[in-house]
Amino acid sequence: MRVAYNEQMTELADMLGEMAGLAGTAMERATQSLLQADLPLAEQVISDHDQITELSVSCEERAFALLALQAPVAGDLRSVVSGIQIVSDIDRMGALALHVAKIARRRHPNHVLPEEVNGYFAEMGRLAVALGAGAKEVLETRDPERAAKLREEDDAMDDLHRHLFTVLMDREWKHGVAAAVDVTLLGRFYERFADHAVEVARRVIFLVTGKMPVDPDETTEPQA
């Protein structure tokens, strides 16, 4: 019985890692389609999203079956519940990459981004893909130290996201409301993709240690 449970948990962990890898690949391709106005690549991201959806359903079914049939307790229960929560985070990562690709498709053959923000999104795309790869890595290794470092890597994404707003609010912005809306939405998609990758890492830390790491932003006390 125990051997069967361990095998099923290993299979679930492998599927979660595969999901994270697909989400990272989707964001990499979506970014390329965005920067290059590449319609076939955007279409590929959109059509490939079904793979993430199917894996998400399979992971949830497997996790709920473990709950129902194995009745896990203590650390085992923590593993299964964490797995269910991680499925949701990775599913959202895939959906955010899908949103990027759909905007690229909608604006084709035009480029979505004004030239002066291309560099921001090239870097945000790079960071998102790296965070996606980091999430896949910690799911496979269950290394809490590596997982904790993803929070630091996310800080660079947050900085870029904040700075992007200074560009949008600048009086020199001359690209109109529609472009500003696209840039705002896209910036949010990348920022949220990174947040979900960090959340996966936090859940891995909880899975391994039994303690959920505290978000530094949540512990900051108000100034007197």
Side-chain angles (χ1 to χ4, degrees):
M1 195 81 165
R2 183 68 191 177
V3 172
Y5 171 81
N6 288 336
E7 288 177 350
Q8 289 172 323
M9 283 302 303
T10 298
E11 289 173 1
L12 177 59
D14 289 344
M15 291 168 70
L16 290 173
E18 183 181 355
M19 267 187 78
L22 289 172
T25 298
M27 184 54 91
E28 183 175 24
R29 290 172 176 166
T31 301
Q32 292 174 8
S33 73
L34 180 70
L35 296 173
Q36 301 167 13
D38 189 326
L39 181 60
L41 204 52
E43 295 284 9
Q44 183 179 357
V45 173
I46 293 165
S47 62
D48 286 352
H49 183 69
D50 287 345
Q51 297 177 43
I52 297 176
T53 301
E54 289 168 5
L55 268 174
S56 176
V57 172
S58 295
C59 286
E60 286 189 339
E61 288 176 347
R62 190 173 294 263
F64 284 119
L66 283 166
L67 283 177
L69 300 177
Q70 302 291 349
V73 296
D76 291 341
L77 178 61
R78 186 169 71 235
S79 296
V80 177
V81 172
S82 294
I84 294 170
Q85 294 168 325
I86 288 169
V87 170
S88 177
D89 283 307
I90 302 175
D91 189 62
R92 286 302 304 149
M93 290 166 68
L96 289 160
L98 177 67
H99 293 336
V100 173
K102 284 185 174 180
I103 289 181
R105 181 177 68 175
R106 185 167 68 245
R107 299 300 186 198
H108 185 81
N110 297 319
H111 284 261
V112 177
L113 302 172
E115 188 174 345
E116 60 258 48
V117 298
N118 274 345
Y120 287 94
F121 283 94
E123 181 62 10
M124 290 173 83
R126 186 193 69 78
L127 288 169
V129 171
L131 283 161
K136 182 178 187 294
E137 179 186 349
V138 299
L139 282 166
E140 292 172 344
T141 64
R142 297 196 177 187
D143 182 346
E145 292 184 4
R146 175 69 183 98
K149 289 180 181 177
L150 261 66
R151 174 72 198 184
E152 299 172 14
E153 295 171 17
D154 179 49
D155 289 343
M157 178 71 83
D158 291 338
D159 289 342
L160 278 168
H161 187 235
R162 282 191 295 267
H163 200 274
L164 192 59
F165 278 100
T166 68
V167 176
L168 291 171
M169 299 301 293
D170 195 297
R171 292 181 180 179
E172 298 299 318
W173 180 263
K174 56 183 182 297
H175 304 287
V177 174
V181 170
D182 282 343
V183 169
T184 301
L185 283 174
L186 287 163
R188 181 62 171 164
F189 295 156
Y190 281 94
E191 189 257 348
R192 289 302 297 151
F193 184 98
D195 285 348
H196 283 291
V198 170
E199 192 61 24
V200 169
R202 292 178 74 237
R203 295 191 191 284
V204 169
I205 293 173
F206 174 68
L207 190 157
V208 173
T209 68
K211 296 180 180 179
M212 180 66 83
V214 178
D215 189 328
D217 295 337
E218 296 174 358
T219 60
T220 302
E221 302 220 355
Q223 296 295 321

